Amino acid sequence: MRLFLDTANIDEVRDVVRMGVLSGVTTNPTLMAKERGSTYRERVVEICEAVQGPVSAECIARDLKELLEEARDVASWHPHVVVKVPIDETGLEATSLLSREGITINMTLVFSANQALLAALAGATYVSPFVGRIDDAGQDGMEVVREAVEIFDKYHLPAQVLAASLRHPRHVIAAARAGAPIATMPYAVLKAMVKHPLTDVGIERFAKDAEAYLKEPAREQAKS
Ligand code: E4P
């Protein structure tokens, strides 16, 4: 299983890269809009260089011709760029054409297993069910992940389920147990995965105990 960060913030990316657990990044226009100081292209390239793995950058054009142009342009920015295309009829057509050109597509805004199946058949490499937003609408987001994983496995479809819109650490565990090969999450969720109150208590207690025995003269002598 691979973990991606859902962010356009370069400091967050660099911080998690340091831990050695990050395989990629997903961005979207909402996340990009929060950032300042660099162009869209500059930020995407910066993130690609930092993570050295797939970085999804979303297209906004809705007309087929414009979408194809935008996608080809975005794909040319860096070898790690994955072009994010929202699922609708135009998006599927674009995905089918672009994937045949060798452009890697993340089909986004997927809210049902039917949409996931269509995205995979059109040639998307990554298919992103939005778990949290499905839950918000009163349905079971993780069930869409489970169904998509089952269908892709059963029919040997090469697309990978990228569990997205995850809101808390339990979502990550649920996505892993559902068989999603990738989960993308906000920085705060990844940081929360690291923490456990008993780990903090344990570290503190061991540090205190170590302090006591390291001060013993016998041990100091034994060391020399
Ligand atoms: C994934 O690629 C999306 O950018 C993201 O997970 C959306 O999450 P949200 O529903 O929290 O905005």
Side-chain angles (χ1 to χ4, degrees):
M1 171 150 196
R2 292 190 292 162
L3 301 184
F4 286 11
L5 211 53
D6 197 29
T7 185
N9 184 291
I10 189 65
D11 296 328
E12 292 181 355
V13 172
R14 290 195 177 124
D15 187 38
V16 180
V17 162
R18 271 196 290 270
M19 287 191 262
V21 297
L22 194 65
S23 298
V25 171
T26 51
T27 69
N28 65 40
T30 309
L31 295 169
M32 279 292 172
K34 291 183 193 161
E35 300 302 316
R36 293 284 172 272
S38 44
T39 65
Y40 181 25
R41 179 184 178 142
E42 284 165 353
R43 178 50 53 90
V44 168
V45 170
E46 210 174 4
I47 295 173
C48 287
E49 287 296 318
V51 75
Q52 290 296 322
V55 175
S56 293
E58 190 148 347
C59 288
I60 49 163
R62 301 309 321 134
D63 162 83
L64 181 66
K65 191 169 163 290
E66 287 171 17
L67 179 54
L68 292 174
E69 276 169 18
E70 186 185 7
R72 287 177 187 129
D73 177 42
V74 170
S76 76
W77 293 350
H78 194 282
H80 287 315
V81 166
V82 171
V83 178
K84 222 175 180 192
V85 177
I87 182 161
D88 60 6
E89 293 186 19
T90 308
L92 285 168
E93 188 174 352
T95 296
S96 128
L97 294 167
L98 294 164
S99 62
R100 274 181 269 159
E101 291 173 20
I103 292 176
T104 309
I105 306 293
N106 174 0
M107 188 126 252
T108 190
L109 289 166
V110 168
F111 292 95
S112 73
N114 275 318
Q115 290 181 322
L117 173 59
L118 292 170
L121 293 175
T125 299
Y126 305 102
V127 176
S128 295
F130 275 35
V131 173
R133 294 194 199 186
I134 298 171
D135 288 353
D136 291 345
Q139 291 168 315
D140 182 356
M142 211 49 78
E143 183 58 16
V144 176
V145 171
R146 275 190 289 272
E147 287 177 335
V149 167
E150 184 187 339
I151 293 165
F152 293 3
D153 281 355
K154 191 174 241 168
Y155 296 102
H156 308 292
L157 298 172
Q160 297 179 59
V161 176
L162 196 167
S165 185
L166 304 183
R167 303 275 169 79
H168 49 74
R170 286 307 301 176
H171 263 159
V172 183
I173 296 302
R177 296 185 70 189
I182 306 165
T184 190
M185 69 211 68
Y187 179 72
V189 172
L190 199 140
K191 294 290 261 195
M193 285 173 71
V194 180
K195 298 293 277 183
H196 194 288
L198 292 178
T199 306
D200 297 341
V201 170
I203 288 173
E204 206 175 310
R205 192 175 300 160
F206 284 154
K208 216 183 230 167
D209 293 346
E211 211 174 282
Y213 77 68
L214 286 173
K215 276 185 192 154
E216 278 177 37
R219 285 188 191 257
E220 288 305 312
Q221 275 165 17
K223 269 203 294 180
S224 55

